[in-house]
């Protein structure tokens, strides 16, 4: 089975193709990552085509699609979700969602409690705490960086948010270690683990996890002009 995974919930557009053989595990076939927070729409589709070409595969070879559902900014996040849904419908394959924070946690392979924080802009972070890389302890949240360690001042924090706010979330030296953005390879590995019946973060419907209302608003009714 070939599983295509991608995520657009952060500044990174990450795409990976993984081959999954039940009973034998997952084997990465191809992966690519591009860092450009302003060009998710222009970057994603060509990167999907590139990954498939490098692996010598066609869209019709896919058995499943996995997409990061955030939390993330409205514009970037919807690019990945709309693409995943459209491909799934066109190809007749299932589409599974994975929390973007879970993918970062999964790649870290940390066994002891920690937190993941990504950039939410507006001087805030998206974050969640974990008991281990495969077990989330809290629901995803958004807020000031100080919230991540509100009652756990020594909790290690990884992710781009930890780097941006190293003065609040770094270790004693102000530094952090671990993946900064999600990896599509980790996204696919996590999904394969769950599809294989092994314990781990739950797979989700391909619905956006915004945690915040979009900046764009529908215009209100026109005002009457008095004569």
């Amino acid at each position: 089975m070939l599983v295509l995974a991608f995520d657009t919930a952060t500044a990174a557009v990450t795409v990976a193709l993984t081959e999954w053989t039940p009973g034998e595990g997952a084997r990465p076939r191809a992966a690519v990552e591009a860092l450009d927070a302003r060009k998710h729409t222009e970057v994603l589709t060509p990167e999907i085509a590139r990954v498939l070409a490098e692996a010598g595969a066609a869209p019709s070879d896919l058995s499943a699609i996995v997409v990061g559902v955030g939390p993330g900014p409205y514009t970037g996040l919807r690019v990945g979700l709309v693409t995943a849904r459209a491909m799934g419908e066109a190809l007749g394959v299932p589409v599974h969602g994975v929390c973007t924070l879970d993918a970062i946690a999964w790649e870290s392979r940390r066994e002891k409690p920690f937190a993941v924080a990504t950039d939410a802009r507006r001087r805030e972070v998206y974050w969640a705490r974990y008991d281990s890389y495969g077990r989330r302890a809290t629901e995803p949240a958004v807020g000031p960086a100080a919230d991540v360690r509100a009652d756990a001042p020594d909790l290690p924090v990884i992710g781009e948010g930890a780097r941006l706010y190293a003065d609040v979330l770094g270790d004693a030296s102000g530094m952090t270690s671990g993946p900064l953005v999600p990896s599509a390879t980790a996204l696919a590995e996590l999904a394969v683990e769950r599809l294989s019946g092994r314990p781990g973060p739950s797979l989700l419907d391909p619905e956006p996890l915004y945690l915040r209302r979009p900046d764009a608003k529908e215009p209100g009714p026109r005002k009457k002009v008095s004569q």
Side-chain angles (χ1 to χ4, degrees):
M1 296 178 63
L2 287 181
V3 178
L4 177 68
F6 47 88
D7 190 293
T8 59
T10 69
V13 176
T14 176
V15 184
L17 186 68
T18 297
E19 185 173 358
W20 170 38
T21 303
E24 297 182 14
R27 179 172 68 89
R29 291 280 299 273
V32 67
E33 179 180 291
L35 284 171
D36 194 329
R38 297 168 297 178
K39 294 185 178 181
H40 288 70
T41 303
E42 295 91 334
V43 169
L44 179 58
T45 302
E47 296 295 25
I48 290 174
R50 177 181 168 187
V51 163
L52 290 171
E54 287 184 3
S60 57
D61 296 327
L62 298 177
S63 299
I65 295 172
V66 180
V67 61
V69 300
Y74 177 79
T75 303
L77 183 54
R78 69 178 179 176
V79 170
L81 287 163
V82 168
T83 301
R85 289 175 185 163
M87 289 187 67
E89 183 173 351
L91 299 172
V93 299
V95 179
H96 305 287
V98 170
C99 173
T100 297
L101 301 176
D102 290 350
I104 296 174
W106 186 267
E107 186 178 5
S108 78
R109 287 298 191 267
R110 288 175 175 257
E111 298 282 358
K112 296 181 180 180
F114 66 101
V116 175
T118 59
D119 183 18
R121 304 173 186 173
R122 304 182 192 174
R123 299 190 61 81
E124 293 184 331
V125 294
Y126 297 114
W127 64 276
R129 293 182 183 177
Y130 293 79
D131 291 329
S132 68
Y133 69 91
R135 184 177 178 184
R136 179 154 37 89
T138 67
E139 291 298 315
V142 60
D147 289 356
V148 181
R149 284 175 164 169
D151 56 356
D154 298 323
L155 188 70
V157 185
I158 64 172
E160 188 180 23
R163 184 184 67 175
L164 289 172
Y165 301 101
D167 56 332
V168 179
L169 300 178
D171 59 21
S173 65
M175 302 298 290
T176 61
S177 61
L180 297 176
V181 294
S183 155
T185 299
L187 206 73
E189 288 177 357
L190 192 159
V192 165
E193 288 290 306
R194 295 300 291 136
L195 291 171
S196 301
R198 300 187 184 96
S202 299
L203 293 179
L204 307 170
D205 292 330
E207 298 292 339
L209 185 60
Y210 289 132
L211 302 187
R212 185 193 274 162
R213 292 181 179 275
D215 292 330
K217 296 181 180 179
E218 293 185 9
R222 291 186 177 182
K223 294 182 179 179
K224 293 183 179 180
V225 178
S226 57
Q227 295 182 351

